[in-house]
Amino acid sequence: MLLAVDIGNTNITLGVFNTNLETQQNSRIEIIPIRQPKTTPLTVSWRLSTTPSATADEYGTKILDLMHYAVIERRQIKAIAIANVVPSLTPIFEELSQKYFKIKPLIIGKNVKIPIPNLYDNPKEVGADRIVNALAVYARFGGPCIVVDFGTATTFDCITKKGEYAGGIIVPGPILAAESLALHTAKLPKVEMAKPQHLIGKNTVESIQSGLYFGYLSLVDGLIERLRTDLGKNAKIVATGGLASLIASDSIFIRKENVIPDLTLEGIYLLYEKNQQ
């Protein structure tokens, strides 16, 4: 089994996959579009809070506890692959991989072959999560496509018809915006990101929620509309991340069936399998 780890600024998502060998799929994995939803052998997934000060032991014991309740034994984990945008946690997860699983992890970005062309001016600047998202969505749907990932930052990543990573857009996420608003104003409170009952707020909390929800909804749809002008009107729109389902409920372009919570984990799995060939 493969333990896939996506380390984000706010959350760490983990998933356990049956590997290509275990599912007895002996054919080579090719990153080619199949133009229809494709499932990967994900057994279970979990989400933890990102705590940069936590030790390898703290993370290691948490992961073992999660595995215990999922009836997965540590000896069943034969490989670990990690996508990380918090550099200080790389040595922590390398240590826990060695200490708790006796495995040297595959760190995406460290001498890992990426099976899609990267058109960024400096390809090393692209976060590992963005690359694996592009890989996963192209494997599912082909191109052109746009991945909207609602994390600490909201990212829009574009994949061409040829399967190239074309680049994208980065904006602060709505939760980050809410925190910044509360931090830098004297009287405005921090509020939960939620859809308000009315567009025109009748109190301060409702007014802020309206600005966050409808403001980000308009931002997302507006940017997608512009990106479709460049990529083509037939570009597939896929969303992932914690707030994807909430925004998709009123989005013009994001369909509920194209919200894929474990998209990044799928991309890590595909990249791991590709690097075993």
Side-chain angles (χ1 to χ4, degrees):
M1 286 182 164
L2 167 71
L3 176 63
V5 184
D6 172 31
I7 304 174
N9 289 290
T10 303
N11 292 303
I12 297 172
T13 308
L14 307 102
V16 174
F17 291 83
N18 288 319
T19 63
N20 202 34
L21 179 63
E22 290 165 324
T23 52
Q24 298 180 347
Q25 298 171 355
N26 295 319
S27 60
R28 293 167 61 86
I29 284 187
E30 299 293 344
I31 307 305
I32 57 175
I34 61 173
R35 302 194 181 282
Q36 61 184 6
K38 172 186 176 182
T39 58
T40 50
L42 178 64
T43 301
V44 64
S45 64
W46 307 286
R47 186 179 296 267
L48 299 173
S49 296
T50 302
T51 308
S53 61
T55 66
D57 290 328
E58 289 172 318
Y59 278 122
T61 53
K62 281 184 181 179
I63 293 170
L64 290 182
D65 282 345
L66 292 169
M67 288 172 52
H68 172 75
Y69 285 107
V71 197
I72 297 172
E73 298 181 17
R74 104 171 65 182
R75 62 179 177 80
Q76 293 178 271
I77 303 298
K78 304 298 185 182
I80 298 173
I82 300 171
N84 181 20
V85 298
V86 185
S88 64
L89 287 178
T90 296
I92 299 298
F93 274 79
E94 287 179 320
E95 180 185 345
L96 81 82
S97 298
Q98 296 278 6
K99 185 173 183 179
Y100 288 91
F101 297 95
K102 310 300 182 187
I103 292 171
K104 181 179 180 180
L106 182 147
I107 307 293
I108 296 171
K110 283 188 175 183
N111 301 317
V112 174
K113 60 183 177 183
I114 306 296
I116 58 174
N118 187 338
L119 304 186
Y120 233 49
D121 290 339
N122 180 1
K124 293 182 179 179
E125 288 182 359
V126 184
D129 55 338
R130 299 175 70 188
I131 286 294
V132 296
N133 280 348
L135 181 65
V137 78
Y138 186 71
R140 272 181 174 255
F141 302 110
C145 47
I146 301 166
V147 184
V148 188
D149 190 344
F150 295 90
T152 305
T154 297
T155 58
F156 300 74
D157 292 303
C158 302
I159 301 89
T160 69
K161 185 177 181 179
K162 297 179 180 179
E164 304 157 319
Y165 178 80
I169 296 171
I170 303 173
V171 297
I175 293 176
L176 189 62
E179 291 175 349
S180 180
L181 192 64
L183 181 64
H184 295 287
T185 59
K187 297 181 68 176
L188 296 181
K190 181 180 175 181
V191 302
E192 178 187 4
M193 175 64 177
K195 181 180 178 179
Q197 292 185 347
H198 309 287
L199 174 63
I200 300 174
K202 301 299 184 182
N203 54 64
T204 301
V205 169
E206 198 174 68
S207 295
I208 295 173
Q209 286 181 327
S210 181
L212 290 171
Y213 181 80
F214 292 109
Y216 269 87
L217 180 63
S218 298
L219 179 150
V220 168
D221 280 343
L223 288 177
I224 290 173
E225 186 173 25
R226 289 176 178 269
L227 289 171
R228 289 173 77 239
T229 301
D230 280 5
L231 286 177
K233 297 296 183 181
N234 64 329
K236 194 79 171 181
I237 314 300
V238 177
T240 191
L243 294 174
S245 295
L246 178 65
I247 297 297
S249 64
D250 282 315
S251 172
I252 297 171
F253 298 108
I254 303 173
R255 296 181 178 179
K256 291 181 180 180
E257 64 267 26
N258 291 334
V259 175
I260 307 174
D262 294 314
L263 184 72
T264 309
L265 294 177
E266 287 186 16
I268 295 172
Y269 161 80
L270 290 171
L271 193 58
Y272 166 79
E273 291 285 10
K274 190 66 177 176
N275 276 265
Q276 303 312 299
Q277 298 174 6

